[in-house]
Each structure stands twice: as structure tokens, then as C-alpha cells.
Amino acid sequence: MSRPIIVGLAGNPNAGKTTVFNALTGAHQHVGNYPGVTVEKKEGITTHAGRELRIIDLPGTYSLTAYSIEEIVARDFVVYEKPDVIIDVVDASNLERNLYLTTQFIELEQPTVVALNMIDVAELSGKRIDHELLSELLGVPFVPCVAARGQGMRQLLDEAIRVADEHRKPALHMRFGSELECHLDQIEAMLVASGLHNDAAPRWLAIKLLENDSRVREMVAKQATGADEILAAVDAARAHIERVVGDDAEVAIADQRYGLASGAVRQAMQHDQIRRIDWSDAVDRVLVDRVLGLPIFVLFMWLMFEMVFRLGGPPMEWVEAFFGTLAGYAASVLPEGDLKSLIVDGIIGGVGGVLVFLPNIVLLFIAISILEDSGYMARAAFVVDKVMHHVGLHGKSFIPMLIGFGCTVPAVLATRTLDRERDRIVTMMIVSFMSCGARLPVYILLAGAFFAPHIAGKVIFSIYALGVAVAMLMAFVLRSTLFKGSTTPFVMELPPYRLPTLRGIAIHVWERAWHYIKKAGTVILGFAIVMWVLMSYPKPPADMLEGLDEAHQATVALEYSAAGRMGKAIEPALRPLGFDWRIGVALIAGFGAKEVVVSTLSTAYSMGEAGDETENLQAVLRKQPGLSPLVAYALMVFVLLYVPCLGTIAVIYRETGTWRWPAFSAAYTTVLAWIAAFIVHSVGSLLGYQ
């Protein structure tokens, strides 16, 4: 059997690359990281016409220049791993700009097929594209398709297999004009004569040297014989080009690429005589309106949390009933002792206490996927961009903040898209205030326990809104003190509106929900067992339990345990917030992962209860004399703001290369959380709330 065809799936952000990847591979996907970096690497397998294709979803990039880690990863894969064929996904409704990347694959002489995606959107806006003429002009096959509906996928795979089997390079040889070409020829000849052993083509290396690509210069300096002479010639050529052309060589090369793309589009695209009404523009007039845009964004967010809480109630009760039955069965068949307590209180109580919120998590992911796939999230970024500039944040900071609603770790990694270090660090210091999915179970637990169902959704929404407000406030404070300086302008891309597909939403939700389930079965399970051990040992001497009823014995044993002692040690600091020592134990455990707050509360309060009854945690919490709606809200505020999880601290260290900023993040967020929770509790008490 022939080996699989290796396909590199490339394209600009928002060109529909992920939709094409999902349409081609379905559920046959594997997610990992590229070697040596933390950029996500998605791979998928598909079979077509009796051939197996391994498809690697490259990071979305606008070029192959070494400006960002995503561009470097995509470029290194194409240049050094040499896939059999590149499928370059371009947005047909925004063709000219997307073809800029295509011209660079042509420069590389890489076997390439162009997926002319969203051809329906282009036609709706009155654009008619002659894909056969484009194929002829640029020397690579163009395949029109609508990935969201699966249209054109078969033809795309047919063409990809044909190009790969024939090792067909682009028929067009990129030329950059006589002034640049003579210098390229000279540098290419010097590279060949230097005996440089590199998998990249000498001409492509020559182009990159003229573009002053730092990575290529460094490689040539280390590996080429006569490197100093080559680099001196490059510098002389760059200076000469600037004198003659009037522009930097990099700009001159980019102009040639844009010129080629523009010329091809001018010839192959026609506009209808009567321009059709662009419904996308019409919708944008409302959704990104200066006055209406922000209230509409807030309305969407409020509706999302209302939906998550209200629709999530019944399935949450089903899952809860399942774990209650399971715990009851385990309690009835296991003999009294530590094993029974470990399984019932530690494992089932801990892991079940987290998995019970899976329906709400799935609903949240469905809502976010719809907003992302429809193109609205980019509008949301546009709407809040001006607000962010007022507090000194760069417009691009919204992207990691948005990702922070899912998980803070990739949000920190997403700060790499920011060019200035001070913008990156400020954004890292505030993304943890965007409520990640791990905190949602804590909110649902407490809001459901202490607030009426018609209020609970609004309570959760207020916590999310508070997180955004605190992030903005702290960004303003940091930019006014530690990180003074001007902000740079940001041109934001607004992709066309698209109808989300069930398949696309299902894949997004499955990926995220499965990650949540895996985390519950690994990290949360591990923490649940550790916390059970800490809450069970050491055991109190028998004379301490004499004369006490079962409930008091359980409470004394918990207080005597290692976790109980830790909780007691920090209780004086938590008392002003209305928290007892058991909440303190849960907050300490939450440093590992925020979901562990729920599992630890479940273990702590179930172990403090007498008997074998498996009452749900919300009912148990409601019975605690020290807990009230006010304390529950203060606790939600504290969980929102206090120290980021261990994974986030580690990735901040890795991104900044120093312990200074992780330590600062852990310290200032915890102090801020204490102050905010204290204000909530104190003001609420003064106003007569309990």
C-alpha cells in the first residue's frame, strides 16, 4: 500500500481553514503541539479515491515572514518538512489580499492547490470569479468550494492527489523586476558556491535575505562558508535597491507580490453591473454601530448565560442523580472504613461534583461556537476596541482576552500576537480576570444553591461582567504606572457572516467537552484523591471523639486532618470575607485547577456530614449556618479574581522567561481578590443582606 499523502493546510486567518479541515477530516483528528513550541498542531486523516491523506492544519498566517511564532511554524513546516502538497485556503470574497500568501507558496515552488472557499459569499456580493483563468495565470489549480456545506471537497481532494502524485510545481516562476532580480541572482549564486547545506531552495533564501529575515540571516551566518562576504553583499544590495527604487527591499518585494495578486484578480474577477445589496454590510450597520454595538454585545452575553443556566438545569439534575445513585450503591456495598470513604466521598463526590456541570459547559461551548463561526466574535472585538484604547490596551489584546473565557493558558500564549513586550505583559497580567470555563462550575454551584432560578443566570452574568471591568481597570492602572507609553493602531479584520454548520459546531463542542471530561478523569481525579488524603489524615486520637455524636465526630476528624489544619491556619485572614476554614481548604486546592474548588467543597462538606446519605452538594451548602447568598457572592468574586491556576503561572514564566511576572501575577490578583470580596461582604452586610 502506498504511503499517506502529506497535506499542509494553510491560509489566512478567517479564510475558513478550520471549516475546510473539519469538512475533510471529520472526527478523525489529533491535537498536539509543534516540536519545541506551544503552537497547537492539528492533524487529521481522510481517505479518498483509495488514497489516505494525512492533513496537517497549519497556523493561520498572512505571510511566511518570520514576524510571529505562527508564521515561523507554518513556514518551517512547508520549507523543511516538505509536504506532498499544500492546500492554500483563500477567502473568495476577499481574494486579492488572500492571494498574497499564495504568491509565497509559488515562490517556494511548492506543489500547491488553492481552495477558493466561500465562493457563494463572493457571488452574493456580485463577484464572478473565473477559477480556470486564475489557475492559468498563477500556475496552480484553483478549486471553488463552500466548505461549510461540504461543496467542492471531493474535487479539492481529487486535485490535491493529482498534484501530489505528479509532484507538480507551480507553472509560474515568480519574478520581482530587473532591479531586484539581478541582486537575487548574485546572492543565489553566492549561496550555492558557499556549499550551504539547507533544505530550502537557494533562490528562496536569497529572497528572504533581501527581506532582511533575521532567522535566515542567522542561519547563513552560522552555516555558510564565506558568510561575512554573503551578508555584506546582501546589505549592499539592500542599500542599492533603496536608493534606486526608493523603498526598502522588503517593501519592494511585497509590492511585486501584491501586484501579481492584484493583476490576476483584475483579469479573473468581474463584478455584476447592478451591485446586489450586501446584507453583511447592512447587518454591520447595526451590530458595530458606535451607539448600539456595545449594548448589543452585552445583550448577547447576558442571553448566553441565561441560556446556559436555564437550559442546563434539567440535564444537570440527571447527571447529579446518576452520581447520587452511584454513590448510594457504593456506600451500600462497601464495608465501613477508609476505602469506602475514599470511593464515595473522595472519588465519586469529587469527580462527580465536577462532571455534574458538564451540560452547562456544553451549552456554553455551543453558544461560543455559534458566535465564533458566524463571524460575530470579530465584530465584538471591533466594538470593544475603542474602549480598550481608552484604558491603554492594544486592540489585539481583545483576542487573548476572548480566548480567556475558555481557558487562561492558551490566552497567555495568544499574547504572542502582540508586537510590543509591554503590551504582552499587561495583557498577561489581566487575562486571568476573564472567567475561564474552569470557574463556571463554581459559579453554577453557588448561584444554584443560594439564588432563585430566575436570578441565578443574572448573578453569573454579573460575575463575568465584573471580571471584564476589573481587567479594564487593572490594565489602566498598569499602563499608567509600570508600563507607560503610547498604544499602536490596530486594523481589525471583519470576516463575512456565515451560517454556522451543525458539523462544525459539533466538532468544536466535542473537542472542548472532551478536554473537560479528560481533565475530570485525570487532573481532577488526582487532586480529589490528594485532597481526600489530606482531609482524612492524620486521624484524631480516640479520646477526642468520645461522647460525640456521629456528625460531631466527622467534623472533629476533618478539623484534625492536615487539610483542616491548613484551613484553620488561614481562617483568620478569610473570616472578614465570611469564609470558614473549609472554604479556605477549597481555595488552596483551587490553585491547582479551579474546578478542584468544587470537588474539594464536595469532599469537605460530605465528609463533615454524618451517615451514608448522598444529598447533593447544593442542598448541603444551603444547610451550613455560616453560608448565605452574600457569602456565596463574595466567594464567587474571590474565585474570579484570585491567583491564576498552576498551569497559567507556569506558562507566564515560560513566556516571560522570569519568575518576576508569575510571582507578581499570583500576589496582586490574590490581594485584589481579598479586597474585592471584603468590599462585597462589608457593603452587603451594611445594607442588610445576608
mmCIF file of all heavy atoms in Angstrom, residues 331-365:
data_model
loop_
_atom_site.group_PDB
_atom_site.id
_atom_site.type_symbol
_atom_site.label_atom_id
_atom_site.label_comp_id
_atom_site.label_asym_id
_atom_site.label_seq_id
_atom_site.Cartn_x
_atom_site.Cartn_y
_atom_site.Cartn_z
ATOM 1 N N ALA A 331 -21.905 3.105 48.648
ATOM 2 C CA ALA A 331 -21.984 3.173 50.110
ATOM 3 C C ALA A 331 -22.673 1.945 50.693
ATOM 4 O O ALA A 331 -22.353 1.507 51.799
ATOM 5 C CB ALA A 331 -22.718 4.444 50.521
ATOM 6 N N SER A 332 -23.614 1.380 49.921
ATOM 7 C CA SER A 332 -24.386 0.237 50.451
ATOM 8 C C SER A 332 -23.618 -1.083 50.356
ATOM 9 O O SER A 332 -23.869 -1.997 51.130
ATOM 10 C CB SER A 332 -25.717 0.124 49.708
ATOM 11 O OG SER A 332 -25.482 -0.206 48.347
ATOM 12 N N VAL A 333 -22.680 -1.196 49.402
ATOM 13 C CA VAL A 333 -21.999 -2.476 49.208
ATOM 14 C C VAL A 333 -20.594 -2.507 49.815
ATOM 15 O O VAL A 333 -20.052 -3.582 50.055
ATOM 16 C CB VAL A 333 -21.908 -2.835 47.707
ATOM 17 C CG1 VAL A 333 -23.291 -2.960 47.100
ATOM 18 C CG2 VAL A 333 -21.071 -1.806 46.948
ATOM 19 N N LEU A 334 -20.005 -1.329 50.044
ATOM 20 C CA LEU A 334 -18.641 -1.316 50.576
ATOM 21 C C LEU A 334 -18.664 -1.360 52.099
ATOM 22 O O LEU A 334 -19.533 -0.747 52.733
ATOM 23 C CB LEU A 334 -17.906 -0.048 50.112
ATOM 24 C CG LEU A 334 -17.596 0.031 48.613
ATOM 25 C CD1 LEU A 334 -17.089 1.423 48.242
ATOM 26 C CD2 LEU A 334 -16.541 -1.017 48.248
ATOM 27 N N PRO A 335 -17.703 -2.070 52.676
ATOM 28 C CA PRO A 335 -17.637 -2.107 54.141
ATOM 29 C C PRO A 335 -17.189 -0.761 54.692
ATOM 30 O O PRO A 335 -16.536 0.030 53.993
ATOM 31 C CB PRO A 335 -16.589 -3.200 54.406
ATOM 32 C CG PRO A 335 -15.740 -3.210 53.186
ATOM 33 C CD PRO A 335 -16.642 -2.872 52.041
ATOM 34 N N GLU A 336 -17.569 -0.506 55.946
ATOM 35 C CA GLU A 336 -17.160 0.743 56.575
ATOM 36 C C GLU A 336 -15.627 0.826 56.621
ATOM 37 O O GLU A 336 -14.940 -0.172 56.812
ATOM 38 C CB GLU A 336 -17.709 0.821 58.009
ATOM 39 C CG GLU A 336 -19.212 1.018 58.091
ATOM 40 C CD GLU A 336 -19.650 2.361 57.537
ATOM 41 O OE1 GLU A 336 -18.840 3.303 57.562
ATOM 42 O OE2 GLU A 336 -20.802 2.457 57.055
ATOM 43 N N GLY A 337 -15.108 2.018 56.438
ATOM 44 C CA GLY A 337 -13.662 2.179 56.512
ATOM 45 C C GLY A 337 -13.162 3.210 55.522
ATOM 46 O O GLY A 337 -13.950 3.902 54.848
ATOM 47 N N ASP A 338 -11.833 3.285 55.430
ATOM 48 C CA ASP A 338 -11.229 4.317 54.587
ATOM 49 C C ASP A 338 -11.504 4.109 53.104
ATOM 50 O O ASP A 338 -11.661 5.068 52.352
ATOM 51 C CB ASP A 338 -9.712 4.342 54.830
ATOM 52 C CG ASP A 338 -9.376 5.009 56.159
ATOM 53 O OD1 ASP A 338 -10.311 5.569 56.781
ATOM 54 O OD2 ASP A 338 -8.202 4.960 56.568
ATOM 55 N N LEU A 339 -11.546 2.817 52.660
ATOM 56 C CA LEU A 339 -11.789 2.570 51.238
ATOM 57 C C LEU A 339 -13.152 3.110 50.814
ATOM 58 O O LEU A 339 -13.291 3.742 49.759
ATOM 59 C CB LEU A 339 -11.699 1.066 50.941
ATOM 60 C CG LEU A 339 -11.976 0.677 49.487
ATOM 61 C CD1 LEU A 339 -10.931 1.310 48.563
ATOM 62 C CD2 LEU A 339 -11.995 -0.843 49.319
ATOM 63 N N LYS A 340 -14.131 2.868 51.665
ATOM 64 C CA LYS A 340 -15.481 3.366 51.353
ATOM 65 C C LYS A 340 -15.491 4.907 51.307
ATOM 66 O O LYS A 340 -16.062 5.511 50.391
ATOM 67 C CB LYS A 340 -16.460 2.866 52.417
ATOM 68 C CG LYS A 340 -17.862 3.427 52.276
ATOM 69 C CD LYS A 340 -18.752 2.893 53.382
ATOM 70 C CE LYS A 340 -20.117 3.566 53.355
ATOM 71 N NZ LYS A 340 -20.986 3.046 54.407
ATOM 72 N N SER A 341 -14.830 5.522 52.270
ATOM 73 C CA SER A 341 -14.794 6.991 52.292
ATOM 74 C C SER A 341 -14.066 7.539 51.068
ATOM 75 O O SER A 341 -14.494 8.528 50.464
ATOM 76 C CB SER A 341 -14.092 7.454 53.576
ATOM 77 O OG SER A 341 -13.971 8.859 53.575
ATOM 78 N N LEU A 342 -12.944 6.856 50.683
ATOM 79 C CA LEU A 342 -12.198 7.317 49.513
ATOM 80 C C LEU A 342 -13.067 7.266 48.261
ATOM 81 O O LEU A 342 -13.117 8.229 47.484
ATOM 82 C CB LEU A 342 -10.949 6.451 49.320
ATOM 83 C CG LEU A 342 -10.196 6.654 47.993
ATOM 84 C CD1 LEU A 342 -9.649 8.070 47.898
ATOM 85 C CD2 LEU A 342 -9.067 5.631 47.839
ATOM 86 N N ILE A 343 -13.765 6.133 48.050
ATOM 87 C CA ILE A 343 -14.549 5.979 46.824
ATOM 88 C C ILE A 343 -15.785 6.873 46.839
ATOM 89 O O ILE A 343 -16.076 7.581 45.864
ATOM 90 C CB ILE A 343 -14.939 4.497 46.633
ATOM 91 C CG1 ILE A 343 -13.665 3.674 46.371
ATOM 92 C CG2 ILE A 343 -15.933 4.338 45.492
ATOM 93 C CD1 ILE A 343 -13.895 2.189 46.270
ATOM 94 N N VAL A 344 -16.514 6.871 47.959
ATOM 95 C CA VAL A 344 -17.782 7.620 47.998
ATOM 96 C C VAL A 344 -17.530 9.127 48.114
ATOM 97 O O VAL A 344 -18.055 9.925 47.325
ATOM 98 C CB VAL A 344 -18.660 7.125 49.167
ATOM 99 C CG1 VAL A 344 -19.915 7.981 49.286
ATOM 100 C CG2 VAL A 344 -19.033 5.660 48.960
ATOM 101 N N ASP A 345 -16.717 9.519 49.104
ATOM 102 C CA ASP A 345 -16.510 10.951 49.344
ATOM 103 C C ASP A 345 -15.449 11.555 48.434
ATOM 104 O O ASP A 345 -15.615 12.656 47.925
ATOM 105 C CB ASP A 345 -16.090 11.173 50.806
ATOM 106 C CG ASP A 345 -17.146 10.701 51.777
ATOM 107 O OD1 ASP A 345 -18.336 10.792 51.428
ATOM 108 O OD2 ASP A 345 -16.789 10.225 52.870
ATOM 109 N N GLY A 346 -14.328 10.794 48.275
ATOM 110 C CA GLY A 346 -13.218 11.363 47.511
ATOM 111 C C GLY A 346 -13.412 11.297 46.019
ATOM 112 O O GLY A 346 -13.419 12.325 45.343
ATOM 113 N N ILE A 347 -13.614 10.070 45.483
ATOM 114 C CA ILE A 347 -13.647 9.917 44.022
ATOM 115 C C ILE A 347 -15.011 10.281 43.439
ATOM 116 O O ILE A 347 -15.112 11.172 42.589
ATOM 117 C CB ILE A 347 -13.250 8.478 43.642
ATOM 118 C CG1 ILE A 347 -11.784 8.211 44.075
ATOM 119 C CG2 ILE A 347 -13.422 8.243 42.152
ATOM 120 C CD1 ILE A 347 -11.317 6.803 43.833
ATOM 121 N N ILE A 348 -16.065 9.608 43.912
ATOM 122 C CA ILE A 348 -17.390 9.894 43.322
ATOM 123 C C ILE A 348 -17.834 11.314 43.680
ATOM 124 O O ILE A 348 -18.319 12.065 42.827
ATOM 125 C CB ILE A 348 -18.427 8.854 43.791
ATOM 126 C CG1 ILE A 348 -17.999 7.456 43.341
ATOM 127 C CG2 ILE A 348 -19.813 9.205 43.259
ATOM 128 C CD1 ILE A 348 -18.923 6.347 43.810
ATOM 129 N N GLY A 349 -17.634 11.691 44.948
ATOM 130 C CA GLY A 349 -18.027 13.045 45.356
ATOM 131 C C GLY A 349 -17.204 14.110 44.658
ATOM 132 O O GLY A 349 -17.734 15.127 44.217
ATOM 133 N N GLY A 350 -15.879 13.876 44.526
ATOM 134 C CA GLY A 350 -15.013 14.881 43.929
ATOM 135 C C GLY A 350 -15.176 14.991 42.432
ATOM 136 O O GLY A 350 -15.517 16.056 41.908
ATOM 137 N N VAL A 351 -14.983 13.878 41.720
ATOM 138 C CA VAL A 351 -15.084 13.909 40.251
ATOM 139 C C VAL A 351 -16.536 14.136 39.810
ATOM 140 O O VAL A 351 -16.808 14.906 38.887
ATOM 141 C CB VAL A 351 -14.532 12.598 39.657
ATOM 142 C CG1 VAL A 351 -14.716 12.583 38.148
ATOM 143 C CG2 VAL A 351 -13.067 12.458 40.006
ATOM 144 N N GLY A 352 -17.465 13.468 40.498
ATOM 145 C CA GLY A 352 -18.874 13.658 40.145
ATOM 146 C C GLY A 352 -19.316 15.096 40.362
ATOM 147 O O GLY A 352 -20.113 15.637 39.598
ATOM 148 N N GLY A 353 -18.764 15.725 41.403
ATOM 149 C CA GLY A 353 -19.118 17.111 41.671
ATOM 150 C C GLY A 353 -18.692 18.043 40.559
ATOM 151 O O GLY A 353 -19.263 19.128 40.394
ATOM 152 N N VAL A 354 -17.692 17.657 39.775
ATOM 153 C CA VAL A 354 -17.247 18.475 38.634
ATOM 154 C C VAL A 354 -17.997 18.088 37.366
ATOM 155 O O VAL A 354 -18.463 18.936 36.606
ATOM 156 C CB VAL A 354 -15.724 18.302 38.427
ATOM 157 C CG1 VAL A 354 -15.272 18.980 37.146
ATOM 158 C CG2 VAL A 354 -14.971 18.880 39.617
ATOM 159 N N LEU A 355 -18.150 16.770 37.139
ATOM 160 C CA LEU A 355 -18.804 16.324 35.900
ATOM 161 C C LEU A 355 -20.284 16.690 35.864
ATOM 162 O O LEU A 355 -20.881 16.738 34.793
ATOM 163 C CB LEU A 355 -18.657 14.806 35.754
ATOM 164 C CG LEU A 355 -17.283 14.322 35.295
ATOM 165 C CD1 LEU A 355 -17.254 12.810 35.179
ATOM 166 C CD2 LEU A 355 -16.910 14.953 33.961
ATOM 167 N N VAL A 356 -20.876 16.948 37.022
ATOM 168 C CA VAL A 356 -22.293 17.284 37.046
ATOM 169 C C VAL A 356 -22.575 18.581 36.268
ATOM 170 O O VAL A 356 -23.690 18.821 35.817
ATOM 171 C CB VAL A 356 -22.764 17.380 38.520
ATOM 172 C CG1 VAL A 356 -22.326 18.690 39.129
ATOM 173 C CG2 VAL A 356 -24.266 17.211 38.621
ATOM 174 N N PHE A 357 -21.536 19.396 36.091
ATOM 175 C CA PHE A 357 -21.729 20.660 35.368
ATOM 176 C C PHE A 357 -21.419 20.535 33.874
ATOM 177 O O PHE A 357 -21.415 21.529 33.159
ATOM 178 C CB PHE A 357 -20.848 21.745 35.995
ATOM 179 C CG PHE A 357 -21.167 21.996 37.435
ATOM 180 C CD1 PHE A 357 -20.341 21.524 38.430
ATOM 181 C CD2 PHE A 357 -22.320 22.675 37.798
ATOM 182 C CE1 PHE A 357 -20.645 21.727 39.763
ATOM 183 C CE2 PHE A 357 -22.640 22.885 39.130
ATOM 184 C CZ PHE A 357 -21.803 22.403 40.119
ATOM 185 N N LEU A 358 -21.171 19.321 33.421
ATOM 186 C CA LEU A 358 -20.863 19.126 32.002
ATOM 187 C C LEU A 358 -21.956 19.664 31.072
ATOM 188 O O LEU A 358 -21.648 20.295 30.057
ATOM 189 C CB LEU A 358 -20.607 17.639 31.729
ATOM 190 C CG LEU A 358 -20.234 17.287 30.288
ATOM 191 C CD1 LEU A 358 -18.931 17.973 29.890
ATOM 192 C CD2 LEU A 358 -20.096 15.763 30.123
ATOM 193 N N PRO A 359 -23.259 19.448 31.367
ATOM 194 C CA PRO A 359 -24.285 20.010 30.466
ATOM 195 C C PRO A 359 -24.172 21.524 30.315
ATOM 196 O O PRO A 359 -24.326 22.056 29.211
ATOM 197 C CB PRO A 359 -25.596 19.611 31.146
ATOM 198 C CG PRO A 359 -25.260 18.405 31.956
ATOM 199 C CD PRO A 359 -23.859 18.629 32.441
ATOM 200 N N ASN A 360 -23.881 22.230 31.413
ATOM 201 C CA ASN A 360 -23.748 23.689 31.319
ATOM 202 C C ASN A 360 -22.524 24.075 30.493
ATOM 203 O O ASN A 360 -22.564 25.021 29.701
ATOM 204 C CB ASN A 360 -23.607 24.281 32.722
ATOM 205 C CG ASN A 360 -24.739 23.856 33.638
ATOM 206 O OD1 ASN A 360 -24.699 22.757 34.189
ATOM 207 N ND2 ASN A 360 -25.752 24.676 33.773
ATOM 208 N N ILE A 361 -21.444 23.315 30.681
ATOM 209 C CA ILE A 361 -20.223 23.596 29.913
ATOM 210 C C ILE A 361 -20.488 23.385 28.420
ATOM 211 O O ILE A 361 -20.078 24.192 27.581
ATOM 212 C CB ILE A 361 -19.087 22.661 30.388
ATOM 213 C CG1 ILE A 361 -18.769 22.904 31.870
ATOM 214 C CG2 ILE A 361 -17.843 22.840 29.532
ATOM 215 C CD1 ILE A 361 -18.153 24.218 32.180
ATOM 216 N N VAL A 362 -21.198 22.300 28.094
ATOM 217 C CA VAL A 362 -21.509 22.023 26.683
ATOM 218 C C VAL A 362 -22.364 23.150 26.093
ATOM 219 O O VAL A 362 -22.111 23.621 24.972
ATOM 220 C CB VAL A 362 -22.224 20.666 26.559
ATOM 221 C CG1 VAL A 362 -22.821 20.489 25.162
ATOM 222 C CG2 VAL A 362 -21.257 19.526 26.858
ATOM 223 N N LEU A 363 -23.357 23.601 26.858
ATOM 224 C CA LEU A 363 -24.209 24.694 26.361
ATOM 225 C C LEU A 363 -23.398 25.973 26.137
ATOM 226 O O LEU A 363 -23.599 26.689 25.145
ATOM 227 C CB LEU A 363 -25.341 24.954 27.363
ATOM 228 C CG LEU A 363 -26.460 23.908 27.377
ATOM 229 C CD1 LEU A 363 -27.360 24.107 28.591
ATOM 230 C CD2 LEU A 363 -27.291 23.981 26.099
ATOM 231 N N LEU A 364 -22.477 26.253 27.059
ATOM 232 C CA LEU A 364 -21.643 27.450 26.896
ATOM 233 C C LEU A 364 -20.783 27.340 25.640
ATOM 234 O O LEU A 364 -20.673 28.288 24.855
ATOM 235 C CB LEU A 364 -20.742 27.628 28.130
ATOM 236 C CG LEU A 364 -19.787 28.824 28.077
ATOM 237 C CD1 LEU A 364 -20.569 30.133 28.128
ATOM 238 C CD2 LEU A 364 -18.768 28.780 29.221
ATOM 239 N N PHE A 365 -20.217 26.164 25.416
ATOM 240 C CA PHE A 365 -19.376 25.971 24.238
ATOM 241 C C PHE A 365 -20.197 26.056 22.955
ATOM 242 O O PHE A 365 -19.710 26.530 21.924
ATOM 243 C CB PHE A 365 -18.654 24.628 24.320
ATOM 244 C CG PHE A 365 -17.573 24.585 25.369
ATOM 245 C CD1 PHE A 365 -17.158 23.380 25.912
ATOM 246 C CD2 PHE A 365 -16.975 25.751 25.814
ATOM 247 C CE1 PHE A 365 -16.163 23.342 26.882
ATOM 248 C CE2 PHE A 365 -15.988 25.729 26.789
ATOM 249 C CZ PHE A 365 -15.580 24.526 27.318
#
